[in-house]
Structures are given as C-alpha cells and as structure tokens.
Amino acid sequence: MANTVKIGMVGVGDISGIYLQNITQCFKEIELVAVCDLVREKAERARKKYNIPKLYDTMYELFADSEIDIVLNLTRPYEHYGVSLEALKAGKHVYSEKPLAASLEEGKELVRLAQEKGLMLGGAPDTFLGAGIQTCRKLIDDGYIGTPIGAAAFMICRGHESWHPDPAFYYQYGGGPMMDMGPYYITALVNLLGGVSSVMGVGDLFRKLLDSPFQTFLLCFVTG
C-alpha cells in the first residue's frame, strides 16, 4: 500500500491478536510489514494468517529495516524498556503496550531519548479515546456535572489466571494489578480531570475467599 505508515511488530503473544486484526482490517493509514518473536512459530502463524510480508529472527534485524516507521512493542512488561530503548536508538518511532517501562527511571530515560532524537513515543492504553470516556469528557467540558473535585478508581478481580491463557508475566517484574490494569484508570482520570500534582497508590493480594487470589488496587489523584 502506498502512503501508509509502516509498522514492525515485536512480540506476537496473546495481546497481539486484536492488534493484528485491527491493523490489517480496520485502519488503512497504517500497514503491518514485519513481525518478530522469540518463539518463531508465533510469528510464522501471524505472518501466514494476516499476510505479513516480512518475518525477522531478531528485533535488531527488524529495527534495521529502513521501510519500518514505527515499532509496535508487544513484549512482556519487564521487556518493554529494553525493546523500546533499542528501537529508539535505531531511529524508530515507538508505540508500546503498557506499562511504558517497569520503573519511573526507565520511563524517563525512554522519554529523554525520544525527545533527544526527535522521535515519537506512545503507549497503551488508548481506551480513553473510546465513546464512553469521550462522552464523559464532553459532559465535564459542557458543565453538566459541575466542577469535579476528586476521583477514585478501584479494580478487583480473581487474578489473571482465571481468564488469561498465559498469566505468568502478571506476577513478574513490571506486572501486577497496579502496573497492568492501573494504566487504564490513570489514563482515563488524567484525560478527564487534567494533570496530576500528586499520586498515592496501594496494591494488595487477598487469598482467603474460595482459596483464590483476589487482586485489588486503589488510586487517589490530586489534580493541579
């Protein structure tokens, strides 16, 4: 396709399905031209199913492809920083799954490098662009509920193993309810209420009810 932004996908795991479907079937402005995964069979299946032109054995080979404009980082949370860092070093724009990095210091380093190189750096989630939150945005902007003075977000579930086919990442560095699910709430609240001057976060794990792990977190925002 001519005049499209060319995408190279690194990581073809469970989250990749919706990206593969939407990029190849819904959006005509972008084109997925290459995939790469540590498990080659995953990349091969995606390439065959979605007619992706190129498959690379390593992310460095993908980064070296001059046709690729943006690297789509769908690796495991604790790998996000390393993959995005190398992509930026290679001069590629980057869009990463959440979290952007597993620590504040790593995240700041990615932002610094992107700014230094004049590259765009973005990250999931983009759900705040959906109809529900954008409707809330309009109601706030048009004064239907007055001036918001505070907000709280809660998330409780029985653990990713109750629904995710491969939940091990969730219990490793960069995972957990705060880092994996928290970005949805943080992004929505920032979009609706504006910049944040201070944040308090609390995470916990409960294993009493039905001997199953219940995960929860609380976010409290103070807007500037």
Side-chain angles (χ1 to χ4, degrees):
M1 283 180 275
N3 301 320
T4 58
V5 176
K6 306 297 193 297
I7 310 295
M9 177 185 290
V10 179
V12 193
D14 294 297
I15 193 62
S16 68
I18 190 62
Y19 282 94
L20 288 164
Q21 178 180 326
N22 287 343
I23 292 174
T24 59
Q25 299 178 19
C26 297
F27 300 102
K28 305 306 180 184
E29 302 85 359
I30 56 178
E31 180 184 0
L32 184 60
V33 299
V35 290
C36 173
D37 195 279
L38 290 174
V39 181
R40 184 181 173 87
E41 291 77 11
K42 292 182 179 180
E44 289 175 342
R45 286 196 296 269
R47 183 186 187 189
K48 181 178 180 180
K49 182 175 181 180
Y50 294 96
N51 298 312
I52 302 166
K54 306 173 187 179
L55 185 154
Y56 288 109
D57 289 321
T58 72
M59 66 179 187
Y60 297 102
E61 293 173 344
L62 186 145
F63 299 158
D65 187 339
S66 60
E67 185 183 20
I68 292 173
D69 302 304
I70 301 175
V71 169
L72 176 57
N73 183 358
L74 303 184
T75 57
R76 289 167 292 192
Y78 59 86
E79 297 169 325
H80 289 174
Y81 167 74
V83 173
S84 294
L85 182 70
E86 295 303 320
L88 291 170
K89 286 181 178 179
K92 303 298 185 184
H93 304 294
V94 173
Y95 184 90
S96 174
E97 252 299 334
K98 55 184 171 54
L100 185 65
S103 73
L104 178 61
E105 292 73 21
E106 291 177 347
K108 285 183 175 181
E109 171 62 14
L110 293 178
V111 172
R112 183 200 64 76
L113 182 59
Q115 291 175 337
E116 179 183 290
K117 286 182 164 289
L119 297 168
M120 290 183 288
L121 172 66
D126 60 5
T127 47
F128 73 94
L129 295 171
I133 296 179
Q134 287 302 302
T135 299
C136 294
R137 168 82 270 167
K138 178 172 175 54
L139 293 173
I140 291 174
D141 290 344
D142 291 350
Y144 279 90
I145 66 170
T147 302
I149 59 173
F154 301 87
M155 174 264 182
I156 301 175
C157 78
R158 296 185 60 177
H160 270 42
E161 62 273 14
S162 66
W163 61 270
H164 198 285
D166 186 19
F169 77 92
Y170 199 68
Y171 302 98
Q172 297 174 348
Y173 180 60
M178 184 71 78
M179 298 291 281
D180 186 69
M181 300 304 295
Y184 289 109
Y185 301 86
I186 293 171
T187 304
L189 288 172
V190 168
N191 177 256
L192 295 174
L193 300 179
V196 178
S197 59
S198 65
V199 178
M200 179 186 74
V202 180
D204 205 347
L205 180 67
F206 299 92
R207 296 184 176 275
K208 295 182 179 180
L209 187 59
L210 301 178
D211 293 323
S212 297
F214 273 68
Q215 299 157 333
T216 182
F217 66 77
L218 166 66
L219 294 172
C220 295
F221 274 57
V222 177
T223 59

